[in-house]
Amino acid sequence: GAGVSQSPSNKVTEKGKDVELRCDPISGHTALYWYRQSLGQGLEFLIYFQGNSAPDKSGLPSDRFSAERTGGSVSTLTIQRTQQEDSAVYLCASSLKGGPRDGRGTQYFGPGTRLLVL
Amino acid sequence: AQSVTQLGSHVSVSEGALVLLRCNYSSSVPPYLFWYVQYPNQGLQLLLKYTSAATLVKGINGFEAEFKKSETSFHLTKPSAHMSDAAEYFCAVSEIFGNEKLTFGTGTRLTIIP
């Protein structure tokens, strides 16, 4: 079946502009994660959605970052007033919540959006 | 807080030689452990995972890893390296409870020498 998809694959923007990154999770997956991969910080967790519960925003680096998930499916990560340090690959992952012991909970990753802030 | 340490940011092995990528974790309780592989300009692909069942875990592409609680290690091995194994490998740990977010190591870039 279809995997996690992300768009755009590449985004170049000017410092100070807002950007929106989109993630389409695997159909039926209730959990959705955003991660950021950068040269300086490696792979780091940003935000987590699970069903109708309040999202876990503990990984967002500043209040310029926000995310929403509409209808329990598609998610959008928004970065306002982008800075050069926001340049990174933004990865989305989805899973069936419940822990990886019985096969659920394994996170499947999309190809990422490569963001470059000039 | 959980953390993962990967020793060696770059590892080079000859084609056909043993691959050994090291991962040590820090956790107050036995965690879930994962190895992911990332090929150039692609997302992360799960190689294998430890979920407190068997301590020796077999994954895709001939890789396996052994959970050693006494050493807090989860090293990744493959008996015979293939050119297609060249990639970056990430060890990760997740909480058993809560949001199960992944905490990654800094990655090891594996180069295969023909």
Side-chain angles (χ1 to χ4, degrees):
Chain A
V4 177
S5 61
Q6 293 186 245
S7 61
S9 54
N10 292 280
K11 177 71 176 179
V12 181
T13 190
E14 293 178 350
K15 178 181 174 181
K17 301 279 190 180
D18 297 352
V19 295
E20 287 189 350
L21 312 179
R22 176 186 169 104
C23 171
D24 282 90
I26 293 172
S27 178
H29 279 192
T30 55
L32 187 147
Y33 304 78
W34 283 97
Y35 295 88
R36 180 169 71 173
Q37 185 174 24
S38 59
L39 285 176
Q41 302 298 323
L43 271 159
E44 53 182 346
F45 164 79
L46 296 178
I47 189 169
Y48 160 74
F49 295 90
Q50 167 57 26
N52 296 320
S53 302
D56 178 349
K57 305 179 183 180
S58 60
L60 295 179
S62 78
D63 59 8
R64 296 186 295 103
F65 287 72
S66 63
E68 62 177 19
R69 188 178 185 191
T70 54
S73 182
V74 172
S75 177
T76 302
L77 177 69
T78 301
I79 308 173
Q80 295 179 309
R81 306 181 301 282
T82 52
Q83 303 295 312
Q84 289 181 332
E85 62 262 28
D86 299 334
S87 297
V89 177
Y90 290 82
L91 294 166
C92 176
S94 70
S95 72
L96 286 169
K97 185 68 166 65
R101 180 189 299 270
D102 57 356
R104 301 192 300 171
T106 296
Q107 294 181 33
Y108 295 89
F109 284 80
T113 293
R114 188 174 301 273
L115 174 66
L116 178 60
V117 182
L118 300 176
Chain B
Q2 297 176 317
S3 66
V4 172
T5 301
Q6 290 185 243
L7 292 177
S9 58
H10 291 85
V11 171
S12 296
V13 302
S14 297
E15 188 175 16
L18 171 71
V19 176
L20 171 60
L21 304 182
R22 300 179 185 274
C23 172
N24 288 86
Y25 69 90
S26 172
S27 176
S28 58
V29 296
Y32 293 143
L33 292 159
F34 305 80
W35 276 100
Y36 281 86
V37 61
Q38 186 176 35
Y39 297 101
N41 299 315
Q42 295 187 26
L44 297 169
Q45 180 181 4
L46 180 69
L47 275 178
L48 48 79
K49 61 186 178 185
Y50 167 75
T51 59
S52 74
T55 56
L56 182 61
V57 181
K58 295 186 183 297
I60 62 172
N61 302 338
F63 284 94
E64 62 182 38
E66 185 172 9
F67 173 73
K68 292 187 177 180
K69 183 178 179 181
S70 61
E71 299 177 8
T72 60
S73 68
F74 190 57
H75 301 331
L76 181 71
T77 60
K78 181 174 180 177
S80 177
H82 191 273
M83 295 300 295
S84 62
D85 294 327
E88 188 146 23
Y89 292 79
F90 293 92
C91 183
V93 62
S94 81
E95 305 166 343
I96 295 177
F97 305 106
N99 66 18
E100 298 171 9
K101 68 181 182 182
L102 293 169
T103 299
F104 289 90
T106 50
T108 298
R109 184 169 299 279
L110 177 64
T111 299
I112 309 300
I113 303 167

